[in-house]
Structures are given as structure tokens and as C-alpha cells.
Amino acid sequence: MKLKHCIVMCAALAAGVAQAAEREVTMHKVSAEGKHETIGVVRISETEHGLLFEPNLRGLEPGLHGFHVHQNPSCEPAEKDGDMTAAAAAGGHYTPENADQHEGPYADGHMGDLPALYVDENGNAEHPVLAPRLDKVSTIADRALMIHAGGDNYSDQPESLGGGGARVACGVISG
């Protein structure tokens, strides 16, 4: 009986470890009025080369989109520059070292800068992206995952934060 108990406990512990190394984030369209319909999920898992983000999303505008981890675990609208703004409660890009520059996923800027998200001509995002500077899911737990309108040039020139557009979809990365 003790062996059976140990097997059950070991399996439960192993499942807990595996679960701790990955998260599934439900993504919602967002606007200045709040969160709207669910558009799918992004699975985040640890690899030896960094965090892997595997989207399974529908209903987005085709093309490249800015994709970032934001500071706060909220997708609610908030006031910014006097106007209600979609998912502004998520704050800015995740930057534990208080980096002043937006330099992309391969440089020394914001840690939350992820490779661009590709959306096909049917509005689906299914191509995974790898974030080599992020190694543990726990470092981005209790933060928001954000999709922006338009691409991202990973520079603060000619526009700040890569010139990305409005926040169009958001999900909270659970802790």
C-alpha cells in the first residue's frame, strides 16, 4: 500500500512541476470600454533556449503585430492622457531593470519585448515565437500578455515603443 501511495504522490508532484513550467493564457479583444470576446489562447512553456509562446488565436487583423509582456496583471481600460484607453491598466512593457529603451527581444531593452506575432490572411495566429531573454514562466507570472495593432520595429525611433499601434488583445498570465 505504501508503494501505491508513493506512486500517486510522485505523479502528483511531477504534474505540479510540469504545470509550473507552463501557462495557458486566454486572450480577449480589448477596447476603451473593456474586455470583449475571447479570441483563443497562448501557451507559454520553458525551453532550453528561452520561453516559447504558442498562439492559437482567431479574429485578428492579418499581418505583423507587436507582442509584449506588460507590467501589470490587468486587461482593464484606464485613463491615459485624459482618455480611456484599451488595456491601459496593464501598464508599460515589463522591464525589471527599468530599461529606458525598447530594443526588441534580442537586445538589452525591455524584457517584455517579444518577437512580432504573425497573423495569416484569415486572421489566425498559430506561429510560435521564442523569447530567448526570458527563461522562466515564473518571471512573467502575474503580468499581462498584449497584442498591438501593427508591427514593431524594436526601436524608439522614429516613434517610441517600436511604433506599434493600439492595444487590441490582452490576457493575464496567472501566477
Side-chain angles (χ1 to χ4, degrees):
M1 195 62 153
K2 288 183 181 180
L3 179 60
K4 184 178 179 182
H5 180 69
C6 178
I7 291 171
V8 170
M9 290 299 290
C10 291
L13 287 172
V17 169
Q19 191 174 37
E22 65 180 50
R23 297 285 191 286
E24 189 170 276
V25 181
T26 301
M27 301 295 289
H28 301 270
K29 285 193 174 179
V30 292
S31 74
E33 289 76 42
K35 288 191 321 186
H36 301 286
E37 74 267 15
T38 299
I39 60 168
V41 298
V42 175
R43 187 170 154 260
I44 306 169
S45 56
E46 295 174 5
T47 76
E48 64 183 270
H49 302 291
L51 290 183
L52 182 65
F53 292 76
E54 298 175 275
N56 185 6
L57 304 171
R58 307 284 179 260
L60 292 165
E61 288 294 317
L64 290 177
H65 291 267
F67 194 38
H68 308 103
V69 174
H70 281 244
Q71 192 66 35
N72 304 319
S74 177
C75 294
E76 296 302 317
E79 190 173 318
K80 182 177 178 183
D81 300 326
D83 294 319
M84 289 304 286
T85 303
H93 295 177
Y94 171 57
T95 177
E97 291 88 20
N98 295 317
D100 290 336
Q101 300 200 22
H102 174 72
E103 297 178 4
Y106 311 107
D108 292 331
H110 303 150
M111 290 293 286
D113 291 348
L114 303 176
L117 182 70
Y118 172 73
V119 178
D120 70 20
E121 65 277 354
N122 297 314
N124 304 320
E126 297 176 339
H127 295 281
V129 299
L130 184 67
R133 294 178 58 219
L134 296 171
D135 61 349
K136 300 285 183 202
V137 173
S138 61
T139 63
I140 61 169
D142 295 322
R143 308 219 179 272
L145 185 59
M146 193 74 64
I147 300 171
H148 293 266
D152 189 334
N153 70 5
Y154 306 118
S155 173
D156 286 321
Q157 300 296 324
E159 294 181 47
S160 65
L161 300 177
R167 299 167 185 208
V168 297
C170 180
V172 173
I173 304 165
S174 64

